[in-house]
């Protein structure tokens, strides 16, 4: 991560620490802190950079930035459960249900999801009631049964389907599972400023798909120590992915094309959007 990115990540972590401080030291509060620690903070950085482009002060933008990281952390805690992806390792650490137990992991995810809505609609975030309501409404849509949950459900259904998914089906699934939160993050800044989120939405749609392709590349080629999570799971499960359907080289080439498309969508912002272009390039070079 570059210098600016690590500074942003540190400020998001400090914000989450401060918000969680009054939660005390019970088991779920401890597990919430554990689950929101670490990670690349790609979604938070999208919020902060999009907000800066629209003249929104960072101390306000930290609220939706922390909100999307809490929502993302909830999804990872639940995804790691034995009834879903059954993973023992996340961000290089034992998953929440391994470190504590399954009930704690379910409750921790639930509490993080509630916290995400609290932070997205917090009065110290967006400075108009209209923008706060819009952030909460669009976050509900992105995370719910038309967005991330739908994508996750389609992914689980595919495991027992009688044929592998097609490329179009995988693209649709991933737009929900991974893409919806990424798009919300990129659009939060213009929404806070009551501006048109169109260009950042186009950027994020291309970026979200490139992000998922890179995730498939890491699963196919990476090592668990660098990735901080189990790898090789897709092939072992006989799962159709961008890599299995396109081949490794074509999948990587498609990710590069998508990053170019994402950068093109930023043309109206000129040089001010350089950090978002750098973030897009980072997304397809990452190994974790
Ligand atoms: C449980 C409703 C529900 C949804 C789960 C997010 C998700 C949906 C599943 C995670 C499985 C997975 C590996 C998805 C691929 C893309 C993804 C979300 C990767 C993890 O995000 P990163 O790389 O993680 O941004 P860090 O740790 O950096 O925050």
């Amino acid at each position: 991560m570059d210098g600016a990115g690590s500074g942003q990540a540190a400020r998001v972590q400090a914000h989450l620490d401060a918000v969680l401080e009054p939660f005390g030291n019970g088991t779920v509060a401890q597990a919430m802190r554990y689950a929101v620690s670490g990670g690349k903070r790609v979604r938070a950085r999208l919020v902060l950079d999009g907000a800066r482009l629209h003249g929104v002060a960072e101390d306000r933008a930290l609220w939706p930035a922390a909100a999307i990281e809490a929502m993302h952390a909830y999804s990872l805690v639940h995804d790691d459960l034995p009834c879903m992806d059954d993973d023992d390792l996340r961000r290089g650490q034992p998953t929440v249900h391994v470190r504590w137990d399954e009930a704690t992991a379910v409750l921790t995810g639930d509490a993080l999801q509630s916290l995400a809505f609290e932070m997205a609609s917090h009065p110290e975030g967006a400075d108009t009631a209209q923008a706060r309501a819009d952030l909460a409404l669009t976050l509900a849509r992105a995370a719910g049964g038309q967005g991330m949950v739908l994508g996750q459900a389609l992914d689980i259904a595919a495991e027992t389907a009688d044929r592998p998914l097609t490329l179009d089906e995988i693209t649709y699934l991933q737009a929900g599972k991974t893409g919806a939160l990424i798009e919300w993050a990129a659009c939060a800044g213009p929404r806070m400023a009551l501006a048109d989120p169109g260009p950042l939405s186009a950027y994020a749609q291309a970026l979200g798909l490139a992000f998922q392709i890179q995730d498939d590349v890491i699963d196919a080629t990476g090592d668990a120590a660098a990735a901080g999570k189990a790898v090789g799971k897709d092939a072992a499960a006989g799962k159709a992915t961008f890599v299995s359907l396109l081949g490794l080289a074509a999948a990587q080439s498609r990710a590069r094309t998508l990053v170019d498309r994402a950068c093109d969508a930023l043309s109206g912002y000129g040089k001010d959007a350089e950090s978002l272009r750098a973030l897009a390039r980072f997304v397809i070079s990452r190994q974790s």
Side-chain angles (χ1 to χ4, degrees):
M1 203 187 292
D2 55 30
S6 55
Q8 288 173 322
R11 293 193 291 281
V12 171
Q13 186 64 54
H15 191 84
L16 284 161
D17 290 344
V19 167
L20 284 169
E21 215 265 331
F23 280 56
N25 219 18
T27 306
V28 170
Q30 284 182 42
M32 289 170 80
R33 286 191 193 95
Y34 182 86
V36 297
S37 295
K40 297 177 293 297
R41 303 301 192 202
V42 166
R43 295 156 192 79
R45 291 168 66 187
L46 288 170
V47 175
L48 296 180
D49 286 348
R52 183 182 47 75
L53 285 178
H54 286 270
V56 175
E58 188 179 275
D59 60 342
R60 287 194 173 274
L62 279 167
W63 286 98
I68 198 65
E69 289 294 332
M71 186 67 84
H72 170 55
Y74 129 69
S75 77
L76 298 179
V77 171
H78 280 194
D79 182 65
D80 290 334
L81 281 165
C83 61
M84 297 222 196
D85 218 28
D86 194 10
D87 275 305
D88 293 347
L89 197 64
R90 172 70 64 186
R91 296 175 171 168
Q93 304 287 332
T95 47
V96 172
H97 67 274
V98 169
R99 169 79 174 71
W100 284 275
D101 51 45
E102 285 182 38
T104 301
V106 170
L107 292 172
T108 298
D110 292 344
L112 286 170
Q113 182 171 186
S114 293
L115 180 64
F117 284 110
E118 183 182 336
M119 292 193 288
S121 56
H122 199 281
E124 290 171 24
D127 62 359
T128 64
Q130 185 186 341
R132 292 195 294 276
D134 192 33
L135 288 176
L137 175 76
T138 51
L139 183 58
R141 287 188 181 142
Q146 299 181 93
M148 180 174 68
V149 167
L150 173 63
Q152 179 79 344
L154 293 171
D155 203 21
I156 290 171
E159 285 169 20
T160 50
D162 48 15
R163 60 163 181 83
L165 294 181
T166 65
L167 204 53
D168 280 351
E169 287 168 337
I170 292 184
T171 304
Y172 178 70
L173 179 165
Q174 298 302 348
K177 180 175 161 184
T178 315
L181 292 196
I182 288 178
E183 189 180 358
W184 186 88
C187 294
R191 287 203 169 105
M192 292 181 85
L194 302 177
D196 175 17
L200 285 179
S201 171
Y203 162 83
Q205 284 177 29
L207 179 70
L209 202 48
F211 184 97
Q212 183 57 51
I213 293 174
Q214 185 62 20
D215 218 67
D216 292 351
V217 168
I218 293 169
D219 191 72
T221 64
D223 73 88
K229 62 182 180 182
V231 294
K233 290 192 71 174
D234 295 339
K239 202 168 153 183
T241 67
F242 289 105
V243 170
S244 74
L245 290 175
L246 293 170
L248 182 60
Q252 288 173 312
S253 161
R254 184 169 293 206
R256 285 193 296 273
T257 304
L258 284 161
V259 164
D260 289 344
R261 194 183 298 164
C263 292
D264 288 348
L266 300 172
S267 58
Y269 292 108
K271 283 200 165 64
D272 290 347
E274 201 42 54
S275 59
L276 285 175
R277 293 187 189 93
L279 186 55
R281 290 191 289 271
F282 164 74
V283 154
I284 57 161
S285 65
R286 70 195 172 94
Q287 292 306 318
S288 71

